[in-house]
Amino acid sequence: MTKNDRLSRLLLELPWLIQNKNTSIDNFCAQFDISRDEANKDLSLLTYVGPGRFGGELVDIQYDDENISVIDSQGFDRPLRLNNIEAVLLLLGVRNLSEISKDKQEILDIDIKLSGLIESDIADEKYKQEYSNKKNRIKEAIANRKQLVIHYIDSHLKLTSERSITPIEIKTLDTKEYLTALDNNSSQKRTFRLDRIIEVAVVPLDALPQEITQNNIYSEKISLRTKSWNASNILDLNIPYTRSGDQLHIEMDLIDPEYLLEIILRLDDKTEIVCSKKMKSNLQKMLSDRIESIL
Amino acid sequence: MSVSKSERILNLFFVLINSKRPIPRHEIRQKVNGYEECESETAFERMFERDKDELRNTGIKIDAVPIDPLFDDELGYQVDSKTFLTKTVEWTPSERAILSLASTTWHRTEFENLAKSATLKTGGSINLKSSDENKEIYSGELLKFRSIMKSLNTKSVMDFKYVSFDDNEPKSRQVIPKKLYRQGDNWYFDAYELISTTWKTYQTSRIVGEIIIKPASAIELNLLKKDNNQTLPRTVRVEINQNASLISHITGGTAIGERTIDFKFFDEKSFAKYLLRFSSIIVSIDNDAIREYYKKYLKDFVKVLSHD
């Protein structure tokens, strides 16, 4: 081991020991891949360093053949920041785990924390804080069985007026969180993407019972066939699709032509669209209006 | 007894993190146990510079800042605040366990040591056995990232097929990547494209098939050195019919006025295609080329819908 490797190791050891109180010397050796002799040398050196030269100004670590305890870390009580590549490695590892894990929520929490450590041009601490506050208010309402009033950006990117809902649960799909709730006006179950909920207010009214009204809503079976690489463009829409070779197939019952148009515009102009003539002519009209109106 | 080099560097680190103000050189020389052995000011300065470099190599940056904000003639030293994990990121024991398990993904790869060091920084354990110790099974996605990171680490050429926003078929690309990062749901890397000799940004999910890694030739590396100036993005202002500050986290870009968003873009054609998904709220685009491509693409979709 070079001296620089040793310095890096010493800088890792102290915060690690603080986070792993009363660890055994054997575990310490195993974690840092060092012998007992090297561990003793490292621990001994760490007790010689500090901001001054005297007892109270030096790091204090008590250790014997069995256990190690940090008594005074001399201000070095927070771990070193992960560099970009370290955070990326852990994040990719966590995402790999998410494919096999059942607890998507905890994995997403870690994903969010790690993502915050990776350089990003649009990292926005204020937005993340607001998101976290919003989520906490929803969780609180679910736990206390209360109603909520929300403002929401719908799939057409339009801000809806106030909606009164009874929150049921927060679910995680891929990298997004969704709130399943009962729309108190229509008594229909709805799913809201959490990042599209703009405002949340808990109202002092008890949650409504989850009796879903079966309305006769007209929907149409839609089929879209396109190239598989277009999948990345529709990930955030949370729509079901299947992939076969370089083909991607979306099949769904759809009520809203505007939503269908949003999906189509994310694909490419070689997409095969199967729907009714009425729906197609509706979509053509919407597109023509958009072409006409653009300034 | 003389002070070892590691001990002296750690002393320097502790002196700096325990001070609420930048510390001038002469004070560092007095306070840090180990510097008293220097016979001259020049010897101290040399040693201090070397120690700062050693700390920088471990990821700890020492900043030199004026001691008096009104006068910049005397510099003091302090540890860059980004050295430590922010207080807002704290790992629970169960999160640490997940992170430890996640790091085993990199067992027996070129990234094993880096992943171990990352795990130790989170306070996690690294002696966990991988959930699938005897098999090296990576999802296609992870293999792709492993290739990109391998190429980043070794400055190698990545050869792959890529579908850009304005392509309908994958095209072959040969690039040397510089930086991997994430924005929103997508991962990107900035890379030097060897055929067009320009810097471009690639979205990882638009890579089709396998990535082949090849060592870069001396000529290619020279090209990269010479053309180290990445193309800067341009800005386009888009007016929408919704409150910009409420939806810019979905659309990307920066909300400027109540109903305007400024977007950064590199290529007009690709950016026009990206804007299509927001066409339900777009009122105007202040770039002629982007607007024309945007209208053309919308017209192409009208044609698609006219097919039976």
Side-chain angles (χ1 to χ4, degrees), chain B residues 280-294:
Chain B
S280 64
I281 57 163
I282 291 179
V283 174
S284 70
I285 302 167
D286 83 341
N287 176 301
D288 293 344
I290 295 177
R291 189 173 51 251
E292 286 315 306
Y293 281 123
Y294 171 85

Side-chain angles (χ1 to χ4, degrees), chain A residues 248-263:
Chain A
L248 184 139
H249 187 203
I250 301 167
E251 210 166 19
M252 59 202 294
D253 289 315
L254 210 66
I255 309 160
D256 181 359
E258 273 208 60
Y259 185 49
L260 175 60
L261 189 58
E262 188 189 335
I263 299 168

Side-chain angles (χ1 to χ4, degrees), chain B residues 158-216:
Chain B
M158 285 166 59
D159 190 339
F160 55 92
K161 289 208 161 39
Y162 185 80
V163 191
S164 71
F165 264 115
D166 54 331
D167 286 334
N168 284 335
E169 291 295 327
K171 286 184 183 159
S172 180
R173 310 283 176 132
Q174 291 196 340
V175 307
I176 302 177
K178 188 183 179 186
K179 181 179 155 193
L180 173 69
Y181 55 99
R182 191 163 98 162
Q183 283 189 349
D185 293 333
N186 293 313
W187 285 86
Y188 300 87
F189 58 93
D190 294 341
Y192 189 68
E193 224 252 324
L194 295 170
I195 296 167
S196 63
T197 60
T198 48
W199 286 95
K200 288 186 177 168
T201 300
Y202 297 88
Q203 191 178 319
T204 58
S205 56
R206 303 186 77 86
I207 294 176
V208 181
E210 202 188 339
I211 299 173
I212 298 161
I213 305 279
K214 298 186 285 196

